[in-house]
Amino acid sequence: MHYLGEIISLTVAVFWTGAALASEMVSKRWGVFVSNVWRMLIATSFIAVFCWLTLGQPYPVYAGGKAWFWLALSGVVGYAMGDYCLFKSYILIGSLYGQLFMTLAPAAAAFSAWVMLGQQLSLQNLLAMAITMTGIALSILGRSEGHKLTLRLPWKGVLMAVGAGVGQGVGLVLSKIGLDHYTQDVPADILPQVVNVLPFSANMIRCIAGFFCFLLIMWIHQGFDDFKRSKTDGRGFFYVILAVICGPFVGVGLSLMAVQFTAAGIASTLMALTPIIIIWPSHWLFKTPITLKGIVGAIISCIGVSLFFL
């Protein structure tokens, strides 16, 4: 089928839009800690069933100690830290702006890869970073009565959103290191049969680490009463299951499938369109104002992201 990879990539962007909107709903309903404890638990359960069906065991059967260490560290940085900041930003500034700041993730990943893996930072990478940050600045800055530049959003929400983008980018590099170790742990005669499944089982390790981190933080904040009350909230469960299906489960699976049918650069660029796709649904669901500056800023940010991959 012509353009199958491109169609799948756009579908991923739509799924990730759904995940962002559902996550905003459940985080405002349950709070950050309860939402993420359930999200990590449900995601781990879904992936365990998937691994059982594809690998014959409901856990990452071939992963060694180094793979567990790096993937768990990726879960702490990407899920526990990054998603805490992301869900908090959803509460403070909404999923529209939260997703806009997620365009910082490729820049954070490129910088982290330069530091940890010795990968080159090209002029194109630096230009992409500059364009991405220009688009974000255009969306969130305005002029006061004295014609001075001022922040149109709560500063705490902006800091949380920046932390989310950086957490995802750094977590991605850590997960790459872990996945490389995981791939080396698989016996050579078995690897061709399971190579496409390894990212899913690797993500299970990340989800487990994220689950225990959020559980510990919830315990410290004495949030178990809120957790108990959430068990009877059917609508909240609908939102969190929708967020898991659209995000860590189906969304990730389709993103892996997309690069099998089209170039990785094209797939990554199309999947990065979430900040544009989310504009109208966010306005419809949460009455988030739509402005020309916001639309142009989101487009510029997505152009910046595309430069990392093209």
Side-chain angles (χ1 to χ4, degrees), residues 2 64 104 157 169 185 222 228 251:
H2 291 301
L104 291 174
D185 292 334
Q222 299 180 342
K228 291 176 182 177

PDB file of all heavy atoms in Angstrom, residues 2 64 104 157 169 185 222 228 251:
ATOM      1  N   HIS A   2       0.628   2.170  -0.917  1.00  0.00           N
ATOM      2  CA  HIS A   2       1.410   3.395  -0.992  1.00  0.00           C
ATOM      3  C   HIS A   2       1.171   4.259   0.251  1.00  0.00           C
ATOM      4  O   HIS A   2       0.052   4.365   0.755  1.00  0.00           O
ATOM      5  CB  HIS A   2       1.030   4.197  -2.239  1.00  0.00           C
ATOM      6  CG  HIS A   2       1.470   3.540  -3.521  1.00  0.00           C
ATOM      7  ND1 HIS A   2       2.790   3.248  -3.784  1.00  0.00           N
ATOM      8  CD2 HIS A   2       0.762   3.102  -4.588  1.00  0.00           C
ATOM      9  CE1 HIS A   2       2.883   2.668  -4.974  1.00  0.00           C
ATOM     10  NE2 HIS A   2       1.659   2.576  -5.480  1.00  0.00           N
ATOM     11  N   GLY A  64      19.698  -8.856  30.896  1.00  0.00           N
ATOM     12  CA  GLY A  64      20.690  -9.036  31.942  1.00  0.00           C
ATOM     13  C   GLY A  64      20.757  -7.850  32.889  1.00  0.00           C
ATOM     14  O   GLY A  64      19.962  -6.910  32.804  1.00  0.00           O
ATOM     15  N   LEU A 104      10.803  19.955  22.856  1.00  0.00           N
ATOM     16  CA  LEU A 104      12.168  20.096  23.350  1.00  0.00           C
ATOM     17  C   LEU A 104      12.872  18.746  23.496  1.00  0.00           C
ATOM     18  O   LEU A 104      14.104  18.709  23.644  1.00  0.00           O
ATOM     19  CB  LEU A 104      12.174  20.802  24.714  1.00  0.00           C
ATOM     20  CG  LEU A 104      11.785  22.284  24.741  1.00  0.00           C
ATOM     21  CD1 LEU A 104      11.698  22.757  26.181  1.00  0.00           C
ATOM     22  CD2 LEU A 104      12.809  23.109  23.970  1.00  0.00           C
ATOM     23  N   GLY A 157       4.229  26.288  35.681  1.00  0.00           N
ATOM     24  CA  GLY A 157       3.798  25.369  34.641  1.00  0.00           C
ATOM     25  C   GLY A 157       4.807  25.272  33.509  1.00  0.00           C
ATOM     26  O   GLY A 157       5.040  24.189  32.957  1.00  0.00           O
ATOM     27  N   GLY A 169      13.634  13.410  26.643  1.00  0.00           N
ATOM     28  CA  GLY A 169      14.804  13.335  25.773  1.00  0.00           C
ATOM     29  C   GLY A 169      15.944  12.560  26.401  1.00  0.00           C
ATOM     30  O   GLY A 169      16.545  11.677  25.773  1.00  0.00           O
ATOM     31  N   ASP A 185      22.182  -9.323  25.069  1.00  0.00           N
ATOM     32  CA  ASP A 185      21.905 -10.433  25.989  1.00  0.00           C
ATOM     33  C   ASP A 185      21.133 -11.570  25.328  1.00  0.00           C
ATOM     34  O   ASP A 185      21.153 -12.704  25.823  1.00  0.00           O
ATOM     35  CB  ASP A 185      21.098  -9.927  27.200  1.00  0.00           C
ATOM     36  CG  ASP A 185      21.906  -8.991  28.082  1.00  0.00           C
ATOM     37  OD1 ASP A 185      23.152  -9.109  28.074  1.00  0.00           O
ATOM     38  OD2 ASP A 185      21.300  -8.148  28.767  1.00  0.00           O
ATOM     39  N   GLN A 222       1.632  10.623  51.529  1.00  0.00           N
ATOM     40  CA  GLN A 222       0.445  10.073  52.193  1.00  0.00           C
ATOM     41  C   GLN A 222      -0.795  10.167  51.299  1.00  0.00           C
ATOM     42  O   GLN A 222      -1.852  10.643  51.700  1.00  0.00           O
ATOM     43  CB  GLN A 222       0.197  10.790  53.531  1.00  0.00           C
ATOM     44  CG  GLN A 222       1.346  10.636  54.524  1.00  0.00           C
ATOM     45  CD  GLN A 222       1.094  11.352  55.842  1.00  0.00           C
ATOM     46  OE1 GLN A 222       0.242  12.230  55.934  1.00  0.00           O
ATOM     47  NE2 GLN A 222       1.840  10.963  56.860  1.00  0.00           N
ATOM     48  N   LYS A 228      -7.140   4.868  47.180  1.00  0.00           N
ATOM     49  CA  LYS A 228      -8.272   3.988  47.503  1.00  0.00           C
ATOM     50  C   LYS A 228      -9.565   4.536  46.907  1.00  0.00           C
ATOM     51  O   LYS A 228     -10.389   3.792  46.378  1.00  0.00           O
ATOM     52  CB  LYS A 228      -8.410   3.831  49.013  1.00  0.00           C
ATOM     53  CG  LYS A 228      -7.283   3.031  49.657  1.00  0.00           C
ATOM     54  CD  LYS A 228      -7.444   2.995  51.168  1.00  0.00           C
ATOM     55  CE  LYS A 228      -6.285   2.240  51.818  1.00  0.00           C
ATOM     56  NZ  LYS A 228      -6.387   2.247  53.304  1.00  0.00           N
ATOM     57  N   GLY A 251       0.321   3.351  20.963  1.00  0.00           N
ATOM     58  CA  GLY A 251       1.079   4.436  20.365  1.00  0.00           C
ATOM     59  C   GLY A 251       2.523   4.052  20.097  1.00  0.00           C
ATOM     60  O   GLY A 251       3.060   4.277  19.005  1.00  0.00           O
TER      61      GLY A 251
END
